[in-house]
Amino acid sequence: MTNPIDHLLHENRRFAPPEQFAADAVATADLYARAADPEVFWAERARETIDWRTPFTEVLDWSNPPFARWFADGELNVAYNCLDRHVDAGHGDRVALLWEGEPGDERRITYAELTDEVKRVANVLIGFGVEPGDRVAVYLPMIPEAVAAMLAVARVGAVHSVVFGGFSADSLRARIDDAGAKVVITADGGYRKGKVSPLKPAVDAALADRGGQGPQASVERVLVVRRGGNDVEWMPERDVWWHDVVPAASGDHEAPAFEAEHPLFVLYTSGTTGRPKGILHTSGGYLTQSAYTHRAVFDLHPESDVYWCTADVGWITGHTYVVYGPLANGATQVLYEGTPDSPHPGRWWEIIEKYGVTSFYTAPTAIRSFMKIGRTVPQSFDLSSLRVLGSVGEPINPEAWMWYREVIGGGTAPIVDTWWQTETGAIMISALPGVTETKPGSAQVPMPGISVDVVDEQGQHVGNDAGGLLVATKPWPSMLRGIWGDPERFVETYWEKFAAQGYYFAGDGARRDEDGDIWLLGRVDDVMNVSGHRLSTAEIESALVAHEATAEAAVVGAADETTGQAVVAFVVLKQSYLDRHSPDGLAKDLRVWVGDQIGPIARPRDVYIVGELPKTRSGKIMRRLLRDVAEGREVGDTTTLADAAVMNVISAQVR
Ligand code: WT7
């Protein structure tokens, strides 16, 4: 029987944690042994990371799989755990948010101040008639009010549905309708690339009577933060300015206790394919794994670290590693409103220097776009405060990993490549920065307490040095509890493939190397079959990016008469290369290069040099659209693209 994916790349570099880092590390090697019984382990983590109003006596209830219940008889308030308890413990003066607006304005907000604000917003929501279990949509820029809004919703036991501010009125409407939101919290606008990008008008459009749909029925109130200063229309019976009601509201609010399985939020996945799914997360298990993984993976020393995760709160990374994990841990963190290159290409590095950021978490797509501009930009800032670097969202190819380590991490900071999903809620696979000897390009090992495997189509463990499908073999505390309003789709999408084994199938291909470490190989839907060999997108893209000319690459399988499918590559070149060379003949060189790096089977049939790759708003490459181009078809649905014009340019370049 063949493996679902063949693997071809080899990587031999290894980096041990710096000695002092290992000596001071929060997460130590004994965690793996202590996780021998995951339920015992998670119960310990839940007691250590959370203040329970009613302590739990049950750990996992898996009597009705795949519907898990964790710590079900325990009660807590999630917002209390992120706010009040730090104030009660004497840390009220600690800065929670070091906020930097895109135009350069700044605000420092302590735990005491954030707690006060959240209590007031909670009282405003109660005044709107929001009750436990009601849904509140949040459509805000990256401003402190976004964090306060989410926590206030959680505090009153309502369910937030955060919609990324870059989404259109149509996407917003679809999400508001699906969740049946009662309130929308938004802003007039926010800053993006030096301009005010309006938000309130999109809310108005989403709620209006358009195209015979009738006016949106569930939303009763719209709470609006003034940020952009842009003109907005007003419906006085529906719309309320934040600055009119929040400061005037009472600052007294006792956080009520809710059951551990009380819903916390719905987050719609804007995947690269299909209709959006409302991924449902609940309270106690989610907060336990979020806080624990944040502490362990980022080696958080809350009294001295300055942490920065660049994700928008509109994505799961922003939920777990901007809001819930760091705040539950009492961390001090940077929150930045704008884009990495506004008003200049060194903006992120300037922020790291300014605030002395120690722990930095971003995505490979961002790292590669900095590689494209060149190392002189980051090298003109003092990045020596950085001591741990994280990556998430896509496989990070060894070339980008090494660049991240050397140029950003000063050649010493450990890199944690963290694999997880909107559905998993928190990190599942990652190195521990003070323990693991890291390997460029590999996510490596499951977190203590997490059980994953790489299996073949029949669900059998593939062993070391083999490729297959990544599954979670046991339930975990922050797992999704369902798809909003669609339990059947939940079972079908994630649990049917390996129903016999009871495994959760994540949709990703992976391999174990000879040491048993895990390498992510991309979505299985993107796997190419060339003459019977199953090739992963990640490995060939990785080889392309290892060439000195290449900044970014995407490969797809296109129908081919002789080989079934052929590899077609789209590459973006580095500025430094273009400054010195002509790209003539480069396509041929890249074909030969991939052949040399991986083997002739992986050599692309076609290499197209393009200016940009099509990406979703969260930065994931949409290979489906590139496949359309490669097979000479009309390009399919581009509505989830960040920049719809990119595909026209690519189609023209390929023609
Ligand atoms: C998919 C989940 C989880 C936060 C951001 C994305 C890919 C995620 C990695 C990684 C290789 C990764 C997978 C996964 N992915 N992290 N470290 N290495 N691939 O959340 O939008 O739900 O996407 O992102 O394909 O299934 P998401």
Side-chain angles (χ1 to χ4, degrees), residues 142 294 298 306-313 315-323 326 332-336 348 357 359-363 390 392 420:
M142 282 291 280
H294 177 253
F298 294 99
V306 177
Y307 163 83
W308 183 20
C309 166
T310 63
D312 191 280
V313 291
W315 312 121
I316 189 69
T317 310
H319 284 57
T320 307
Y321 296 106
V322 175
V323 181
T332 295
Q333 67 176 318
V334 170
L335 190 72
Y336 172 56
W348 274 10
V357 171
S359 337
F360 183 63
Y361 194 21
T362 195
V392 63
W420 58 295

Side-chain angles (χ1 to χ4, degrees), residues 446-477:
M447 288 296 291
I450 296 298
S451 305
V452 300
D453 201 0
V454 180
V455 299
D456 63 20
E457 287 285 343
Q458 279 66 46
Q460 298 301 310
H461 173 79
V462 296
N464 288 358
D465 214 7
L469 309 176
L470 182 66
V471 293
T473 58
K474 290 200 175 109
W476 63 100

